Amino acid sequence: MGSARLGSGQWGLKVHHSVSISGGAASAARAGLLVRLVRIACGIVIGCALNGFVPREAAAQVPFVLFQPARQMEAAKPLARDVTGAPAISQRLDGTAFFVDDLGHMLTARHAVADCGRIVVSKEGRSVAARVVALAATDIALIKVPRTLGLAAVFPRASASAANDMVFAEAYDRLKPMLAHGGALGNAFVDATQRDPEHLVLRSNVTFGTSGAPVLDSRGLVEGVVSRRTTIDRVLAVDAAHAKSFLSAHGVRFQEDDRPQMSGTASRAHRAASISARVTCLQQ
Amino acid sequence: MLSRRPVACCCGQPLSRTILILRGTLVLSFGLFILSTATGHAQDLNFRNPEQAPPSWAQFAKLVKYRFEEWIAADEAVANRFRNWVVEHSGKENGPPPTLVVRAWLNPDGTVERVAFPAFNDAGATEDLRTILKRGNVGEAPPPEMLQPLNLRFSLNLRKP
């Protein structure tokens, strides 16, 4: 069925294209010019919107602008991926978790593992069942697998993240293609314009599946745990101080250090891949 | 032998498998060194023990240790054969030594270029372990300034569950 629809769609495009050409060179040129003008207008508006500025004139003229403020003001969204299958299949929520010791304890987002019938941690082709050890008041949770599947993360003794510091946070499932292209030093920035007592605010475009991912600073230390998106490019992460306090309260012996855990040029994406895994919540 | 000031910095966890439990402890050091015949102590020559090494080196060594343990404990033909040999010959005259020192050289892409360790009495087991330890990519590039080889001392305790 799927391939049949795709096939008909391709034929439809081809027929439309041939009609435009047969209409003559002048009409084709007019159509091309019109398409270019629309593209330019869209480009200007989208570009301005991404920079947080939309000219009033452009807003009045281009209908797409009306949608941009709505996207900017969307409600805070948890970043766990909702993968709902056929009605017979349980609802499935994919997030990210990372190891905090060598015993199999992992931190993730609370909303990624709360109210699950079953929790599965998957990494490098292996999947193991996990259990919830504790849920925090903030959006973090402690889960445990029978044994570790990766390197344990290291937290800073004192958080040193400052405005515009480059950090790295990404969904486990998105790391593999990133590594294939050589990795990354960072993909987000610390945003100091918005104050939050227990969160690290990031300028980031990470999306679903990133809930629970570690926020790695330039030293390879975990500065936070990704929680949710508040606007199109703002993400909240529970800060390292709260995460450490939560781990200590539950007797987890995590590593702390203020010294760099990676060389300056090493890919943070690779370190993220070493310490994190996909966490899947299967709901009835 | 390789580390005069050993630090048990990375106590391995039991790696459960259907047949065997592998208990590994690790002592690590970095780079080449020579033994002074006059004093019997190690002389530093492009050599660092963990206390002197940057944390980035120690983190990378932990990653290599974790990968080696995973590869030895993997459920596949060569690893199964090697573990069976260890269990069958453990404590015997021609069996494996109680501790195993592995020197590892890693490529910038994270693959294992070379490993060196004292040969077992069984050439097949020696080759199996060499195959296992060179089979994959540890997942990260070694810190560019890190001294190599990485000296990893494993204390293997294979027993039936």
Side-chain angles (χ1 to χ4, degrees):
Chain A
M1 281 292 285
S3 59
R5 284 177 185 167
L6 179 62
S8 64
Q10 285 171 338
W11 279 111
L13 284 174
K14 281 181 181 174
V15 170
H16 179 74
H17 188 60
S18 64
V19 168
S20 296
I21 291 171
S22 64
S27 62
R30 280 195 299 273
L33 183 61
L34 184 63
V35 168
R36 280 183 200 163
L37 286 172
V38 169
R39 280 182 182 165
I40 290 167
C42 291
I44 291 168
V45 171
I46 291 169
C48 291
L50 288 174
N51 287 319
F53 172 71
V54 180
R56 286 178 184 276
E57 294 79 6
Q61 293 171 8
V62 184
F64 287 111
V65 179
L66 296 175
F67 294 99
Q68 295 297 335
R71 291 181 67 190
Q72 291 282 344
M73 292 185 292
E74 64 188 342
K77 285 182 179 175
L79 290 171
R81 188 197 305 273
D82 187 357
V83 187
T84 308
I89 302 172
S90 301
Q91 192 181 39
R92 178 181 150 171
L93 208 62
D94 282 342
T96 301
F98 61 97
F99 292 96
V100 291
D101 66 10
D102 294 332
L103 301 177
H105 285 109
M106 305 180 82
L107 262 185
T108 187
R110 177 190 169 116
H111 74 263
V113 293
D115 305 322
C116 302
R118 210 152 61 92
I119 299 169
V120 178
V121 168
S122 308
K123 184 174 173 64
E124 296 166 2
R126 284 177 299 166
S127 296
V128 293
R131 64 180 175 84
V132 174
V133 176
L135 300 172
T138 51
D139 190 18
I140 50 174
L142 179 65
I143 62 172
K144 189 175 186 312
V145 291
R147 64 181 187 84
T148 185
L149 299 176
L151 191 66
V154 181
F155 291 86
R157 291 184 192 281
S159 178
S161 58
N164 298 319
D165 276 358
M166 188 167 68
V167 293
F168 182 87
E170 190 53 271
Y172 176 76
D173 285 337
R174 291 175 188 269
L175 290 172
K176 195 172 180 181
M178 201 175 269
L179 302 190
H181 290 92
L185 287 175
N187 63 351
F189 293 91
V190 175
D191 184 354
T193 60
Q194 298 181 10
R195 297 286 176 189
D196 189 301
E198 60 188 31
H199 290 103
L200 189 65
V201 185
L202 305 177
R203 289 202 310 277
S204 165
N205 59 3
V206 295
T207 182
F208 300 106
T210 317
S211 284
V215 179
L216 295 177
D217 68 11
S218 61
R219 299 167 295 175
L221 301 170
V222 175
E223 292 283 354
V225 184
V226 172
S227 172
R228 60 189 181 275
R229 196 172 67 190
T230 55
T231 63
I232 194 165
D233 64 345
R234 293 290 190 281
V235 168
L236 293 185
V238 176
D239 68 22
H242 283 81
K244 288 193 299 180
S245 164
F246 175 62
L247 291 175
S248 297
H250 292 89
V252 177
R253 298 180 66 181
F254 55 88
Q255 295 178 67
E256 283 184 286
D257 204 326
D258 282 333
R259 296 171 298 172
Q261 302 296 305
M262 312 177 67
S263 69
T265 56
S267 160
R268 275 62 178 159
H270 282 76
R271 177 55 52 86
S274 295
I275 66 176
S276 61
R278 182 199 312 131
V279 60
T280 302
C281 168
L282 298 170
Q283 295 172 331
Q284 297 299 322
Chain B
M1 186 180 81
L2 285 176
S3 175
R4 288 291 172 185
R5 286 165 286 181
V7 175
C9 66
C10 322
C11 294
Q13 293 307 305
L15 300 176
S16 301
R17 284 295 181 268
T18 52
I19 303 173
L20 301 169
I21 291 177
L22 168 70
R23 289 187 192 280
T25 56
L26 173 72
V27 175
L28 64 89
S29 54
F30 304 87
L32 293 168
F33 68 96
I34 57 170
L35 287 174
S36 163
T37 52
T39 63
H41 293 297
Q43 286 185 339
D44 288 359
L45 179 67
N46 295 323
F47 173 80
R48 301 275 180 84
N49 64 29
E51 298 101 328
Q52 299 168 327
S56 58
W57 297 15
Q59 275 296 98
F60 183 77
K62 282 187 71 177
L63 179 65
V64 175
K65 166 253 182 190
Y66 165 71
R67 294 294 186 196
F68 280 5
E69 285 186 346
E70 283 293 302
W71 297 343
I72 290 172
D75 188 11
E76 58 82 40
V78 179
N80 287 340
R81 188 169 59 209
F82 175 71
R83 292 199 308 271
N84 283 339
W85 177 82
V86 172
V87 168
E88 286 171 10
H89 295 84
S90 192
K92 295 179 182 173
E93 191 178 344
N94 63 346
T99 60
L100 182 67
V101 176
V102 177
R103 288 188 292 161
W105 289 260
L106 287 105
N107 293 314
D109 65 355
T111 54
V112 181
E113 180 191 356
R114 187 155 63 97
V115 290
F117 53 87
F120 304 128
N121 287 332
D122 185 317
T126 303
E127 197 50 41
D128 279 350
L129 183 59
R130 197 181 309 282
T131 301
I132 292 166
L133 298 183
K134 287 184 66 181
R135 71 167 20 138
N137 190 312
V138 300
E140 292 186 24
E145 71 286 2
M146 189 180 81
L147 297 176
Q148 296 205 45
L150 200 58
N151 303 302
L152 306 166
R153 179 181 291 177
F154 289 92
S155 179
L156 296 177
N157 177 18
L158 289 166
R159 65 174 176 82
K160 292 179 181 176

